[in-house]
Amino acid sequence: MHGFDPQLFGGSGCRNAAPANPKPLGNLAQLRLKRRPFNGPEVFVDYSGLMKLRRHFAEPTRRLFLLRTALPVIGLTLLIAMITAGLLLWSTIQTDRVAAARQRSLVGLIISKLESAVAHDQESVTVWDDAVNALRSGDAKWLDTNLGSWMHTYFGHDEVYILDANNAPVYAFSDGSIVDPGSYRSIQATTAPLVQTLRARLKRGDTEGVTEQVLTIGASDMAVIAGHPAVVSIKPVVSDSGHIAQIPGQEFLHVAVRYLDGSLLTSLRQDYLLDDARFSWADKVASGEASYPFVDRSGPIGFFVWRPYRPGAFVLFQLVPVLGALFGLVLAGVIVALIAFRRRTLKLIETEDRIYHLAHNDLLTALPNRGQFNERLADALARLPSTDEQLAILYLDLDRFKQVNDSFGHPAGDELLREFADRLRRLTTEADTVARLGGDEFIIIKRSLAGEDEVRTLCERLIESARRPFEVAGVQVFVGVSVGVAVAPKDGLDAVELVRKADVALYHAKAGGRSSYAFFGHEMDLTLAMRKGLEQDLRKALEMPGQIQVHYQPLYAADTNRMTGVEALARWSDLERGWVAPDLFIPLSEETGLIEPLGELVLRQACLDAVHWPIETLAVNVSALQLNNPSFAMRVTSILLETHMDPRRLEIEVTESALSERRTECRNNIEALRSIGVRFALDDFGTGFSSLGRLQTLEVDRIKIDRSFVQGFGRSNGDEAIVQAIINLARATGLSTTAEGVETESQCDYLRKLGCDQLQGFLLSRPLPKGELQDLLGVVSERASA
């Protein structure tokens, strides 16, 4: 046998079928898409740039991310690389152009100086007394050695001729050896104008152009000699000392020919680093080459061609592998960064969604929390005036949820809440809002109402759904739900006021019986005001001596009918209301936190009254709130010392839920009081969630069988068997039993027959004030002595 609450446990073990078409909870992304606008004070923060960036890195699919983000970023990177490469190429071209222009200028300078260079070479032998004397004496060997062969071997002159005063050749050198002077005729047509011009200048004593570097006048020109472009230079042979008399215009003339396409090109390549230097008759150059013209008096005779040095291209070719590797690394880095940023952004957005979800949704059930409910309610109420619609606020509170928590633990309670939240989702539409306010309180915004009948139908479905068993901790439990309803705009358009009215209606639904619903009515506010007034009067009563009194209901031994103890009960006599029912002010004191001063008042007064009474037990009721106070045991001990009450005579009656409390404070209080001799009794046993098997784990000395089982005697619901089982198990575990609610002789006789230890009820005695109980104690004492 398991528990005894027929509304809590299912006998068949079969769970009712869940409603069809359950609504999915949805993931975080769906929650993010369903965010509602916040209608509170607006605070504008410019996160547009950051959010746009995040949006690009958090495209929902890889394809969209690739098309919208990755490819544009990679394209931009490649564009930057191309622009960088273009700038580098442009710089290279400009550098090479400047270098080529400078080399062209150098080549032009070289070519312009060729004639003067050849003339300068000539002056080393033509301004010389020995040369004049050797020519006059006809010393052929000396002439060849100094004016011919030496000029070829040392200066590289290709042809040398010496003319006498009549312009007749007296010496000729060509092809590296002395040749017949008559060979001069091959170049005579070219040199004749130069010879004539030089003779004329010599005759008239023209010294123009003579300087410290240029010792004599001369004549020179570019020409084609024997199929070669050449420099032709003519210099007079004169005395360097001036002691040899010479007739102006009659001097010997030295004619030097230097080919431009021979050894001169080799020396130019070596001396000026002119790569691939060559001569070309036409101005046709290959790619990467440059040219400069050789010009005689009549125009170009050919072109000097070379390959200019390109420092920019050289550096570029050296950098290309490095730059290529660098651009590759940059591109790879960009791709890796894109992937990393996307992952991090997705994780960040997931975290933000999680934070948003935690901030706006209940962590246990994933339903909107109080904050999001307030936002949605404010939004819905703001739309009502423009739509002429109605909405309803349904305030829900689970019945007997605390007993589930106390008996099976908070994990079981959490499981029940999740299951109930899921049922609420299935019973509402997407347009509705289901929120958890905390604990076992839920609230629903029902929008676009067709009328109050629609709300009544929903309430009935909610109550019916809650009546179905919940499977928690491996056991089917039955709870229930109470619903309070407020309707807008009928009950107002203020969000706070609507929720308050729905709460008031819930209070009345619970007061009228569990698993019911109630619509708010204005008379409910009056009732609530009366409740508040009752609370204020109770506070005053606790401060005024005499209003809170203690009455005592006797406890009788079943076998001898002897009074063995009393149970102390609080009674309130108000000056205006008269006697206030305990069922009214005891729950009120627990709800308002007044139970502790009330319980302490009753305990102190009962100890003072009963300290000298000839009874074995003084039973005092204690709530779970009192047991959870860390100082409870100390307060009880202090009262016992103050009143000189024997702790072994005190029996504290607690409910099953209080004994099932897992809090350290409750357990410590019980252990501390039991250590000094205080006994504990389990009140109203069988109305909670425990099974008989749990009796062995409860730290109690007595079990009080609930009156509902005693009053069920004689019916066909098996109450006699239940009481018998309780008594048998109590005996087996060494516990005493007390039956409450004994009102008939038949009940009294049957309980004696079952072996119950104590009896309590109106048949034996109603609760009595102190004076009447003392009189009864005297009567009982006399009856016992007789």
Side-chain angles (χ1 to χ4, degrees), residues 705-724 727 739-740 742 744 746-752 754:
I705 303 169
D706 188 68
R707 69 181 63 248
S708 61
F709 298 110
V710 175
Q711 293 171 0
F713 285 178
R715 301 173 187 171
S716 59
N717 51 9
D719 286 336
E720 292 89 343
I722 293 175
V723 173
Q724 179 69 73
I727 293 173
E740 298 178 304
V742 180
T744 65
S746 61
Q747 293 171 351
C748 185
D749 293 340
Y750 192 77
L751 288 168
R752 287 194 184 100
L754 292 177

Side-chain angles (χ1 to χ4, degrees), residues 582-644:
D583 291 343
L584 186 59
F585 74 86
I586 296 297
L588 178 63
S589 66
E590 291 183 340
E591 294 173 13
T592 57
L594 298 176
I595 188 63
E596 291 193 59
L598 177 61
E600 189 170 332
L601 184 152
V602 171
L603 177 61
R604 177 178 283 104
Q605 186 62 50
C607 288
L608 285 173
D609 292 343
V611 66
H612 298 300
W613 288 347
I615 56 174
E616 300 170 4
T617 303
L618 171 64
V620 179
N621 289 279
V622 171
S623 73
L625 293 175
Q626 291 174 271
L627 276 177
N628 287 328
N629 189 326
S631 63
F632 175 73
M634 183 178 64
R635 291 183 179 180
V636 172
T637 304
S638 176
I639 291 174
L640 291 173
L641 292 173
E642 175 187 339
T643 59
H644 305 288

Side-chain angles (χ1 to χ4, degrees), residues 382-428:
R383 299 172 185 268
L384 280 187
S386 60
T387 59
D388 291 331
E389 294 179 348
Q390 297 183 83
L391 67 81
I393 304 297
L394 286 75
Y395 208 125
L396 292 80
D397 185 85
L398 287 174
D399 301 329
R400 294 185 296 276
F401 174 74
K402 188 177 185 302
Q403 288 91 324
V404 175
N405 257 352
D406 293 340
S407 298
F408 301 108
H410 292 289
D414 292 345
E415 187 178 350
L416 190 152
L417 290 175
R418 282 192 291 268
E419 174 64 24
F420 183 65
D422 191 44
R423 295 186 186 184
L424 293 181
R425 289 189 187 94
R426 298 172 186 175
L427 293 173
T428 54

Side-chain angles (χ1 to χ4, degrees), residues 55-76 338 342:
R55 179 173 56 82
H56 280 294
F57 282 105
E59 294 292 350
T61 64
R62 291 183 178 180
R63 182 173 179 273
L64 287 176
F65 172 72
L66 181 66
L67 293 176
R68 297 180 180 178
T69 304
L71 289 181
V73 172
I74 293 174
L76 179 61
L338 283 171
R342 173 171 169 79

Side-chain angles (χ1 to χ4, degrees), residues 23-32 34 354 357 361 365-366 422 425 430:
K23 292 192 291 183
L25 293 177
N27 54 32
L28 291 177
Q30 291 172 328
L31 290 172
R32 178 160 57 93
K34 294 179 181 179
R354 180 65 177 168
H357 178 74
N361 293 82
T365 62
D422 191 44
R425 289 189 187 94
E430 290 288 342

Side-chain angles (χ1 to χ4, degrees), residues 684-703:
D684 299 332
F685 184 78
T687 60
F689 288 78
S690 294
S691 65
L692 291 174
R694 290 196 60 193
L695 283 177
Q696 296 177 346
T697 65
L698 298 177
E699 296 180 355
V700 296
D701 304 281
R702 180 183 301 276
I703 299 174

